Amino acid sequence: MPIKVPDEKIIAIGKLLCNPNKPLKERFRALFTLRNLGGDVAISAISECFSDPSALLKHELAYCLGQMQDKHAIPKLVEVLKDTSQEPMVRHEAGEALGAIGDTSILELLQEYSNDPVIEVAETCQLAVERLRWLQLKGKSEEKLEKNETFLSVDPAPAAAENDVEKLKGILTNESLPLFDRYRAMFSLRNINSPESAKALAAGFKGASTLFRHEIGFVLGQMSCESVVEDLAKVVADKSENEMVRHEAAEALGAIATEGAMKVLEEHLKDEAVVVRESCIVALDMCDYENSKEFQYADGLVRVDEVTG
């Protein structure tokens, strides 16, 4: 159950989130505090920040709204998805968030944007459509099962029933299969959560789809497995790779938080790509958290209390 917090405190955390003069790492912590709190006031606070110049922050706003699984976020997410002035990674995340909420009332809209000229947006909406159709087939009673309790995330596709790493790797890397099936293999490998399954996932970085490769980076971050630090480091360092993929690889290194991972992040703090260097800043803050005795990463309430208390 969400923590009951006075509206004025939630609004204050929202002001911290939307303050461009605050360090990005503090704004990220405020965002995740709002996500954890939930409710209409938190959704409104997050929604007010989509005019920010940081594509990284805006994409994370959309992600958090989807993870909250609250229908009150749908209008803002639809607005962002439709807004072609927003960066592709932001629009993609809005499409994925709509799928995560799981409301079939937006199925037609997602079908429309499955043909978007921006391939990352189109593929995201195609996956969201498949997820909603899967939920319809499973029935509403199954919908609550869609939040993975180990990784505390609502995934864009359900994990496959298969649990053989080599078979799943074969599905993952088979470009002739539907993207939805390959995503299901991806999340099954993540759930196995072993060094072997992490290395199998890393093979997905050779895939043709930018969206697919970026999701590989994301799930490797969820696993926090040291066996793929070198694989992730290569992705971050590859200037020919899409920024969306490089940024997820950087954040995955932040979750792993080893000395080697931190070294890679420090090397890219001045990367030419804004979204990559911002990701390294946030990822290093996550490293600090992982290697500290801090009670929680989402510490927006504490920071607001320090200012107002």
Side-chain angles (χ1 to χ4, degrees), residues 81 88 91-92 113-114 116 118-126:
L81 174 61
R91 295 182 62 221
H92 127 74
Y113 281 88
S114 292
D116 195 90
V118 178
I119 187 63
E120 293 84 7
V121 175
E123 288 183 341
T124 298
C125 291
Q126 290 162 21

Side-chain angles (χ1 to χ4, degrees), residues 210-279:
T210 297
L211 183 73
F212 183 80
R213 297 195 306 277
H214 120 287
E215 197 71 23
I216 291 288
F218 178 76
V219 297
L220 288 176
Q222 287 185 305
M223 294 169 74
S224 303
C225 184
E226 294 182 29
S227 68
V228 291
V229 167
E230 186 176 338
D231 302 274
L232 291 164
K234 287 179 181 177
V235 174
V236 176
D238 184 359
K239 299 296 178 69
S240 67
E241 178 57 277
N242 189 288
E243 294 176 6
M244 220 169 114
V245 184
R246 294 180 66 212
H247 117 76
E248 285 293 1
E251 292 200 0
L253 288 169
I256 294 170
T258 60
E259 186 175 336
M262 292 174 70
K263 183 179 178 182
V264 175
L265 294 169
E266 287 166 354
E267 289 171 353
H268 292 277
L269 281 172
K270 295 183 180 180
D271 197 274
E272 293 176 4
V274 175
V275 72
V276 174
R277 63 175 182 262
E278 287 186 343
S279 294

Side-chain angles (χ1 to χ4, degrees), residues 8-113:
E8 55 268 26
K9 281 198 174 183
I10 299 175
I11 292 168
I13 297 168
K15 288 180 179 178
L16 172 57
L17 168 65
C18 295
N19 187 344
N21 296 318
K22 291 291 185 180
L24 193 61
K25 61 184 182 181
E26 287 187 23
R27 300 174 72 192
F28 263 66
R29 290 190 179 217
L31 171 58
F32 282 91
T33 302
L34 291 170
R35 184 194 71 173
N36 293 347
L37 292 173
D40 293 356
V41 180
I43 289 171
S44 295
I46 294 171
S47 298
E48 287 176 8
C49 207
F50 277 102
S51 59
D52 198 87
S54 170
L56 181 70
L57 179 63
K58 290 185 292 185
H59 117 288
E60 207 71 31
L61 300 175
Y63 171 75
C64 287
L65 288 177
Q67 293 297 300
M68 292 162 81
Q69 289 193 295
D70 189 321
K71 293 179 183 180
H72 289 96
I74 289 176
K76 174 52 73 171
L77 290 168
V78 168
E79 178 187 316
V80 174
L81 174 61
K82 289 181 174 182
D83 185 358
T84 55
S85 70
Q86 291 282 10
E87 296 85 351
M89 68 182 289
V90 180
R91 295 182 62 221
H92 127 74
E93 204 66 59
E96 184 174 301
L98 288 167
I101 292 171
D103 188 340
T104 55
S105 68
I106 45 86
L107 189 54
E108 187 175 335
L109 176 79
L110 289 170
Q111 288 172 326
E112 177 187 345
Y113 281 88

